[in-house]
Amino acid sequence: MVPTMVLVADDSRDAHRREALCGLAEAVASRGEVPVAPAFGSPDDVTAALRAVRGPKVVVPAFVAGGDVASAHLLSRLGIGRWEDSCQTAPLGAVPSIVADLAGRLTDSGWRPSDGVVLAADGTTGTEERQVVMDVARMLSRRLDSPVQVGYLRTWAPSVSDAVDRLRRHGHDKVAVAAWRLVDGPDFDLLRGLDVTAITAPLWPSELVVDTLLAQHRAVKGRLS
């Protein structure tokens, strides 16, 4: 029996965000490789969706590491390790293909090699996720052959605006923001309020995201054998 992929995220803050997450779930399901069950919403909503799935399940975060504080907190409260016939993957992180896609989105948004770059993450309390964000910044810097500053919207310093100001003090009159977010949502309104030359679109939609989620499922489903 193929374990069900249960995609988990907090979507309680925005209807457009929920629409994007549901579109992602449909795209994964359309590959026909695994059954997919969306579990989006509040902790109670997600718990109910998980309990409705019969048989073994792989819980897959529908967000990037360090890119969604609310969803990270939600997932930590579920205690998946205590659920029978269940296991969990890590959030999407420093995957070379996804970082390459992010670099391409920067170029498409108008970034030029002389411009500064800020990787805008959400932040969380977990040091592992913070390390992932730093790894993404280093990989993005190597790919662009340009320095990349990290800025956070919540919980950590420096803030995104502080990171932009730092680049300007170092001679970058133009600064672009690489948004380390899987889907659109209210946080993009904060980014759009910044005085920057460009902001990348969310990582989804991209078939690379679907590929990576399915690869994560394949990598851990053996734990349920």
Side-chain angles (χ1 to χ4, degrees):
M1 182 178 184
V2 178
T4 299
M5 178 192 292
V6 185
L7 288 169
V8 171
D10 181 331
D11 75 342
S12 59
R13 295 171 293 161
D14 184 73
H16 295 296
R17 173 177 165 79
R18 181 178 183 83
E19 183 179 352
L21 288 167
C22 289
L24 173 60
E26 291 170 1
V28 178
S30 70
R31 294 285 186 90
E33 183 174 331
V34 299
V36 177
F40 306 136
S42 67
D44 288 344
D45 295 332
V46 171
T47 299
L50 280 164
R51 286 178 175 158
V53 176
R54 302 303 177 194
K57 44 189 167 286
V58 176
V59 175
V60 179
F63 56 92
V64 293
D68 189 336
V69 167
S71 292
H73 285 177
L74 180 154
L75 191 58
S76 68
R77 292 170 58 186
L78 294 176
I80 298 301
R82 300 191 299 270
W83 288 66
E84 185 178 358
D85 282 341
S86 303
C87 65
Q88 176 185 323
T89 73
L92 293 173
V95 179
S97 59
I98 290 179
V99 175
D101 184 55
L102 183 58
R105 289 166 185 265
L106 266 175
T107 301
D108 292 344
S109 71
W111 176 83
R112 296 293 180 267
S114 60
D115 300 344
V117 179
V118 172
L119 179 69
D122 202 12
T124 184
T125 56
T127 55
E128 289 184 7
E129 288 199 338
R130 183 165 191 165
Q131 184 59 53
V132 170
V133 173
M134 299 303 296
D135 290 343
V136 170
R138 281 192 287 269
M139 291 170 64
L140 185 61
S141 178
R142 288 197 296 269
R143 181 161 287 275
L144 297 173
D145 195 23
S146 178
V148 174
Q149 294 283 329
V150 175
Y152 299 99
L153 290 168
R154 295 180 177 84
T155 69
W156 293 331
S159 68
V160 176
S161 58
D162 287 343
V164 171
D165 290 343
R166 181 183 300 176
L167 284 167
R168 291 233 168 90
R169 289 196 301 271
H170 285 81
H172 294 282
D173 294 332
K174 295 183 178 180
V175 178
V177 170
W180 185 237
R181 298 286 292 191
L182 188 62
V183 298
D184 205 343
D187 290 340
F188 267 84
D189 293 335
L190 300 176
L191 295 178
R192 293 180 184 111
L194 296 170
D195 180 21
V196 294
T197 56
I199 303 169
T200 64
L203 296 171
W204 168 256
S206 167
E207 290 302 309
L208 291 171
V209 172
V210 176
D211 293 341
T212 307
L213 293 176
L214 287 169
Q216 285 184 310
H217 182 278
R218 289 192 295 269
V220 304
K221 67 180 181 181
R223 298 180 196 169
L224 301 174
S225 300

